[in-house]
Amino acid sequence: GDISSANALIDGSESTVTVNLTNTMDNTNYYVRIFIQSQSSSGIRYDDMVYTPVFIPVTNNQFKVGFRESYRALQNLKIHLEVVQL
């Protein structure tokens, strides 16, 4: 589904992003593929301080994604999400 909004709650090195979908899924039996792309012009090593993100479906048109940095640093990342109904 298309994303209608995404809001982040940042707490130190942890972030939770609540994502709302324009297209409603059939139910909460879906998964989210998460791809993290470095945007740094200084090299990828400056953008690799993040643990594997996790997600949880909340409703059939909303899910949350949790991010945690291994080291609190300025990173330039682009997040790509793909929602797939099972």
Side-chain angles (χ1 to χ4, degrees):
D2 295 329
I3 295 174
S4 62
S5 67
N7 297 301
L9 176 62
I10 301 168
D11 183 13
S13 63
E14 297 182 21
S15 302
T16 301
V17 180
T18 301
V19 179
N20 293 297
L21 301 172
T22 302
N23 304 334
T24 302
M25 298 288 112
D26 294 338
N27 51 49
T28 57
N29 191 21
Y30 59 86
Y31 64 88
V32 181
R33 287 185 180 134
I34 304 167
F35 305 93
I36 302 174
Q37 179 182 353
S38 172
Q39 297 288 290
S40 177
S41 59
S42 302
I44 199 167
R45 71 173 190 236
Y46 296 101
D47 285 344
D48 66 353
M49 293 177 259
V50 62
Y51 292 109
T52 303
V54 297
F55 78 93
I56 185 169
V58 177
T59 66
N60 58 350
N61 68 337
Q62 185 183 81
F63 61 91
K64 293 185 179 194
V65 181
F67 297 95
R68 184 169 180 225
E69 294 176 304
S70 60
Y71 176 79
R72 193 168 178 198
L74 181 62
Q75 298 185 73
N76 188 3
L77 304 172
K78 182 185 282 188
I79 310 298
H80 301 272
L81 303 170
E82 181 182 9
V83 181
V84 179
Q85 181 72 58
L86 295 175

